Amino acid sequence: MGIRELKTFVAVAERGSLSAGAEARFISLPAVSAQIASLEAEWGISLFDRTRKPARLTNEGLALLAKAREVLGLYDQIGDAIREPDDLTGSLVLGSIPTALTSVIPKALLSLRELHPRLQIRVHHGLSPSFAEMLRNGEIDAAIISEPRVQLPNLRWEPFAREPILVIAPREAKGRTDEALLKAYPYIRFNRHFWVSHVIEEALAKRRIVLRETMELDSLEAIALMVAHGLGVSIIPVSHTSFLRLHRVKAVPLGRPPLSRTIGLAERVGNPKGRLTAALLDALNRAAAKIAKTST
């Protein structure tokens, strides 16, 4: 058993199939099958229950997955220990909510590439609740999520930016206040499963604003496009004013004082890749500061 086989096993286990694992590892499907078979033969166990479709990890497979992640985390730290202090290498799997993908992440990744060219970061997009579960399961190393509504067990969250929550409307809309716009047009809801949607719903409920909902979408770009075409208004977090100019929509703050949300970097307590996530958080803070400066 070697590091190569463990990396392949973890890739297959996390992605749910041999073919997906092969794609992640950039090797052929027969090579993946051979490496999994080698692990099973060495330990005399079955790692996957192949009678089920798709195949699922056995109890032995789950136990090996937990230990394999520990071993690979320690393996990544070896390079850090023998290289110069400022020379970071290794890999990070990062989850991100949509707004960060079009604001802080590109700037932060570019900065990290210049400072640490051997550091590899793979980015996935999704919802804050999903990322919290993936962090606990060790499927990702860190995630950019909105501020948790409750304390997340065994996870640490560090804020680095605030995003205003705005009512967006067609550019020609005549209403000047958030309430006037919300009452004048049909409402396009931002996915109710996003944590920020709960904050929005609570703010509207306190003011007893009744909406005429016509759509529910989870893409900020799709929502902005619908609004720009005059199909309704929406309430969304906006990371940068360029988003409003690009989609040709008008915006007013939601509430007084204006509502906003805080986003930050979450990771497991005792993360073995803490040195890498610390560098990422530093880059995110710098990127957020630059964006805030250009937005004022």
Side-chain angles (χ1 to χ4, degrees), residues 272-294:
K273 297 186 178 182
R275 191 160 173 251
L276 304 185
T277 55
L280 173 61
L281 181 60
D282 184 57
L284 289 168
N285 273 303
R286 293 196 304 271
K290 289 181 180 179
I291 290 173
K293 186 175 181 179
T294 59

Side-chain angles (χ1 to χ4, degrees), residues 95 97 125-137 139-140 143 145 155 193-195:
I97 55 177
H125 71 90
L127 308 180
S128 293
S130 300
F131 287 139
E133 186 65 23
M134 292 172 73
L135 282 169
R136 281 191 286 265
N137 293 338
E139 298 174 46
I140 57 177
I145 61 175
L155 297 181
H193 298 295
F194 280 65
W195 284 349

Side-chain angles (χ1 to χ4, degrees), residues 80 83-90 106-121 275-287 290:
D80 293 341
R83 292 186 178 91
E84 293 296 324
D86 294 333
D87 183 19
L88 292 182
T89 187
K107 296 179 183 297
L109 293 186
L110 180 60
S111 172
L112 284 173
R113 180 183 295 178
E114 293 172 349
L115 292 172
H116 310 292
R118 291 191 288 182
L119 176 60
Q120 299 179 356
I121 299 180
R275 191 160 173 251
L276 304 185
T277 55
L280 173 61
L281 181 60
D282 184 57
L284 289 168
N285 273 303
R286 293 196 304 271
K290 289 181 180 179

Side-chain angles (χ1 to χ4, degrees), residues 1-224:
M1 177 179 66
I3 293 297
R4 181 185 62 174
E5 287 79 11
L6 288 179
K7 286 184 176 181
T8 298
F9 167 64
V10 170
V12 172
E14 290 181 347
R15 287 160 181 79
S17 71
L18 294 176
S19 58
E23 182 178 350
R25 294 282 290 135
F26 301 102
I27 58 178
S28 68
L29 184 57
V32 169
S33 298
Q35 290 181 30
I36 297 298
S38 174
L39 286 174
E40 292 180 323
E42 180 172 351
W43 293 100
I45 58 175
S46 293
L47 296 174
F48 295 92
D49 180 358
R50 295 173 175 82
T51 65
R52 308 180 71 171
K53 299 295 182 181
R56 295 186 181 181
L57 287 169
T58 61
N59 289 336
E60 294 84 356
L62 288 169
L64 180 60
L65 178 61
K67 290 300 180 182
R69 286 170 173 159
E70 290 181 20
V71 170
L72 293 176
L74 291 171
Y75 179 78
D76 285 341
Q77 293 180 51
I78 293 175
D80 293 341
I82 62 178
R83 292 186 178 91
E84 293 296 324
D86 294 333
D87 183 19
L88 292 182
T89 187
S91 63
L92 277 177
V93 181
L94 174 68
S96 176
I97 55 177
T99 53
L101 289 172
T102 56
S103 57
V104 291
I105 284 186
K107 296 179 183 297
L109 293 186
L110 180 60
S111 172
L112 284 173
R113 180 183 295 178
E114 293 172 349
L115 292 172
H116 310 292
R118 291 191 288 182
L119 176 60
Q120 299 179 356
I121 299 180
R122 188 167 72 248
V123 181
H124 300 272
H125 71 90
L127 308 180
S128 293
S130 300
F131 287 139
E133 186 65 23
M134 292 172 73
L135 282 169
R136 281 191 286 265
N137 293 338
E139 298 174 46
I140 57 177
D141 300 309
I144 296 173
I145 61 175
S146 56
E147 183 174 8
R149 293 168 59 81
V150 296
Q151 181 68 35
L152 299 176
N154 302 317
L155 297 181
R156 177 172 56 246
W157 179 83
E158 291 289 339
F160 62 80
R162 294 186 70 83
E163 295 178 341
I165 296 175
L166 305 176
V167 177
I168 62 170
R171 180 169 286 187
E172 66 278 7
K174 296 180 180 180
R176 294 185 177 181
T177 67
D178 57 350
E179 188 167 357
L181 291 170
L182 290 168
K183 289 183 176 180
Y185 288 86
Y187 182 59
I188 303 172
R189 181 195 290 270
F190 194 30
N191 188 316
R192 71 186 68 212
H193 298 295
F194 280 65
W195 284 349
V196 69
S197 294
H198 297 292
V199 175
I200 293 171
E201 296 303 317
E202 289 174 0
L204 294 175
K206 287 180 180 178
R207 296 170 61 186
R208 298 182 180 179
I209 297 177
V210 179
L211 305 173
R212 294 179 290 124
E213 183 178 332
T214 58
M215 305 181 200
E216 181 172 348
L217 305 173
D218 58 11
S219 165
L220 294 172
E221 286 72 19
I223 289 175

